[in-house]
């Protein structure tokens, strides 16, 4: 099952929050990538360790690659031996404001908000951010995009809740009424939370090192690259087809957990 990380959705210190904890060495056909796993996202950390130690990732391809955006992998169907752990499960979101999409961030892919309003992560698929460098103007536009994404998320969540209430209620409610109430609830939630403000240090990171800021707050970042960004860059530069799949397979050979 291929999950599409859509570009239309979607801090002080390092983005992983954990440079001395669990590390993982990702051996690929293009070279090695060393990442750290954040203790701020224990469900994702432990799940990744379980999958790596089981051999699940051995042989999977980088099935979606977009230059200046990210490289995505972890789909079990791209591996010749699909008899290991199923990838048909999700993990509750662990979105943390101190973990953001700077260059080298490791995050979980997922289905879109329209079918996944709780933003649960794919059990196996993840991506590594390559990103690009932003200027002040593009960052201002990105803040507007994040606000739009947040409004859509709150609307989809309210829509799901109201539809569930309608199913359990003895009083009939039309879909038009449900949608109108969902819009009201979404705007009320936006007012309560207040406008999104990107921290200045995060802006500096995006203007110097780069990343994909429009994904902030929408996907669970659970680690970061410590060594091997040149390998990520090489993967991101590979030729791809119309579905963003590399023309020549690029595979993970093995992931070794270093504790």
């Amino acid at each position: 099952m291929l999950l599409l990380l859509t570009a239309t959705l979607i801090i002080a210190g390092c983005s992983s929050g954990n440079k001395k904890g669990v590390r993982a060495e990702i051996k690929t056909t293009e070279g090695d990538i060393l990442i750290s796993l954040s203790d701020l996202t224990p469900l994702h950390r432990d799940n990744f360790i379980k999958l790596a130690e089981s051999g699940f990732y051995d042989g999977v391809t980088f099935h979606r690659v977009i230059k200046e955006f990210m490289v995505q992998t972890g789909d079990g169907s791209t591996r010749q031996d699909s008899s290991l752990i199923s990838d048909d499960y999700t993990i509750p979101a662990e979105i943390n404001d101190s973990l953001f999409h700077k260059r080298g961030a490791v995050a979980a892919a997922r289905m879109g908000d329209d079918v996944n309003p709780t933003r649960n992560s794919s059990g196996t698929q993840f991506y590594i951010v390559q990103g690009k460098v932003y200027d002040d103007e593009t960052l201002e536009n990105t803040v507007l995009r994040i606000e739009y994404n947040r409004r859509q998320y709150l609307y989809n969540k309210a829509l799901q809740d109201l539809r569930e209430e309608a199913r359990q209620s003895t009083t009939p409610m039309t879909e038009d009424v449900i949608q109108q109430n969902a819009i009201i609830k979404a705007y009320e939630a936006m007012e309560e939370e207040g406008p999104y403000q990107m921290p200045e240090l995060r802006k500096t990171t995006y203007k110097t090192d780069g990343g994909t800021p429009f994904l902030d707050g929408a996907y669970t970042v659970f680690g970061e690259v410590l060594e091997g960004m040149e390998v990520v860059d090489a993967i991101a530069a590979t030729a791809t087809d119309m579905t963003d799949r590399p023309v020549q397979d690029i595979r993970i050979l093995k992931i070794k957990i270093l504790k």
Side-chain angles (χ1 to χ4, degrees):
M1 177 179 62
L2 300 180
L3 298 187
L4 295 185
L5 171 68
T6 61
T8 56
L9 289 177
I10 290 266
I11 299 163
C14 70
S15 68
S16 74
N18 173 34
K19 280 198 173 184
K20 296 182 179 179
V22 177
R23 295 171 299 152
E25 183 181 55
I26 305 175
K27 291 186 171 295
T28 80
T29 50
E30 297 296 308
D32 298 347
I33 306 167
L34 180 66
I35 68 171
S36 64
L37 304 176
S38 178
D39 288 335
L40 297 177
T41 54
L43 297 178
H44 287 70
R45 177 199 62 205
D46 294 348
N47 180 70
F48 188 89
I49 292 170
K50 176 193 70 176
L51 292 172
E53 292 182 335
S54 74
F56 176 85
Y57 288 122
D58 299 359
V60 299
T61 68
F62 285 86
H63 63 269
R64 189 160 185 258
V65 169
I66 303 177
K67 189 176 181 181
E68 296 188 338
F69 182 26
M70 57 88 224
V71 299
Q72 185 174 336
T73 185
D75 176 16
S77 70
T78 66
R79 188 188 55 231
Q80 291 181 342
D81 177 12
S82 58
S83 63
L84 296 174
I85 300 172
S86 169
D87 60 0
D88 188 21
Y89 69 98
T90 61
I91 306 170
E94 293 181 295
I95 298 170
N96 189 301
D97 191 52
S98 65
L99 310 177
F100 62 102
H101 285 81
K102 73 173 188 177
R103 172 175 164 84
V106 180
R110 64 175 179 83
M111 300 298 287
D113 286 355
D114 54 337
V115 296
N116 179 28
T118 56
R119 293 177 167 173
N120 290 341
S121 299
S122 162
T124 65
Q125 294 190 41
F126 66 95
Y127 59 94
I128 302 175
V129 173
Q130 183 194 39
K132 63 181 180 180
V133 173
Y134 284 69
D135 58 24
D136 287 321
E137 182 179 356
T138 51
L139 278 179
E140 287 178 7
N141 291 333
T142 298
V143 168
L144 296 177
R145 185 174 179 176
I146 292 173
E147 281 286 87
Y148 172 79
N149 291 342
R150 185 161 64 115
R151 184 165 62 249
Q152 288 299 110
Y153 162 71
L154 291 170
Y155 170 75
N156 286 322
K157 187 174 184 302
L159 197 61
Q160 183 188 56
D161 292 343
L162 288 168
R163 282 172 176 167
E164 182 60 30
E165 289 178 13
R167 279 193 293 268
Q168 297 181 9
S169 175
T170 56
T171 303
M173 185 180 297
T174 66
E175 180 63 17
D176 285 344
V177 171
I178 291 175
Q179 291 180 6
Q180 288 298 320
N181 287 340
I183 292 172
I184 294 171
K185 284 184 174 293
Y187 274 99
E188 288 175 346
M190 290 283 290
E191 288 291 324
E192 184 177 348
E193 293 180 7
Y196 172 77
Q197 294 184 344
M198 185 178 292
E200 288 301 319
L201 188 55
R202 188 181 302 191
K203 289 182 181 179
T204 300
T205 299
Y206 285 134
K207 290 191 291 185
T208 53
D209 297 332
T212 56
F214 55 88
L215 297 179
D216 284 348
Y219 293 79
T220 297
V221 175
F222 64 91
E224 72 169 320
V225 173
L226 300 179
E227 298 175 10
M229 274 305 297
E230 70 279 1
V231 178
V232 176
D233 290 336
I235 296 172
T238 194
T240 57
D241 63 19
M242 294 182 64
T243 66
D244 300 318
R245 188 173 188 133
V247 174
Q248 298 293 327
D249 283 347
I250 299 174
R251 295 186 181 274
I252 291 177
L253 301 173
K254 189 173 185 61
I255 298 182
K256 182 180 181 181
I257 301 298
L258 308 172
K259 298 181 180 180

